[in-house]
Amino acid sequence: MGFQIGGNILDFVVLSTLKNKDEYGYIVTQEVRKILDISETAMYPALKRLQKNNLLSTYDVPYQGRNRRYYRLTESGKKALDTYILEWNEFKKDIDNLLKKGDNNEY
């Protein structure tokens, strides 16, 4: 069983992946896929959307005769990530509290 993942969770995971260093698209996709069940074809529109919303910027680096497109958090992206982290911690706390109420296994 898995949980349905909405766009906000995808954005949160993508931004978190880029928190400490810039990465090119393939690596971002592989890191996100370790956490979320998402196809590679769905990742690139998400990256484009984050870029369009000024949460990511890009730059190209030549590699073996081709360019790799690297993604970087913008200042707005860093602020959005900070907000997601605060919201996630509150959500996690609420879920943990809910689960603690059920520790007596009465459903």
Side-chain angles (χ1 to χ4, degrees):
M1 178 178 110
F3 296 100
Q4 291 291 341
I5 303 300
N8 286 346
I9 294 291
L10 176 58
D11 292 355
F12 179 28
V13 173
V14 169
L15 296 176
S16 296
T17 299
L18 296 165
K19 179 180 178 182
N20 294 317
K21 72 176 201 170
D22 303 352
E23 282 295 358
Y24 61 99
Y26 177 79
I27 296 297
V28 172
T29 299
Q30 295 309 306
E31 291 298 313
V32 169
R33 290 183 74 194
K34 289 178 184 177
I35 298 167
L36 302 176
D37 183 21
I38 185 167
S39 69
E40 287 185 37
T41 56
M43 272 299 302
Y44 286 96
L47 290 168
K48 283 282 190 194
R49 180 176 38 76
L50 290 168
Q51 185 181 0
K52 182 180 175 187
N53 291 334
N54 196 35
L55 301 179
L56 297 178
S57 62
T58 63
Y59 59 94
D60 293 338
V61 175
Y63 178 78
Q64 295 181 349
R66 298 179 58 184
N67 280 334
R68 284 185 170 169
R69 174 145 300 158
Y70 279 77
Y71 294 86
R72 165 187 299 151
L73 288 180
T74 62
E75 286 304 312
S76 295
K78 291 174 186 176
K79 289 177 186 174
L81 178 57
D82 288 342
T83 300
Y84 279 130
I85 290 169
L86 289 172
E87 290 173 358
W88 177 260
N89 287 329
E90 283 298 312
F91 177 73
K92 182 182 178 306
K93 184 176 84 178
D94 291 343
I95 293 295
D96 287 344
N97 287 334
L98 179 65
L99 293 174
K100 285 177 188 174
K101 288 179 185 178
D103 277 349
N104 58 10
N105 292 326
E106 293 179 24
Y107 296 101

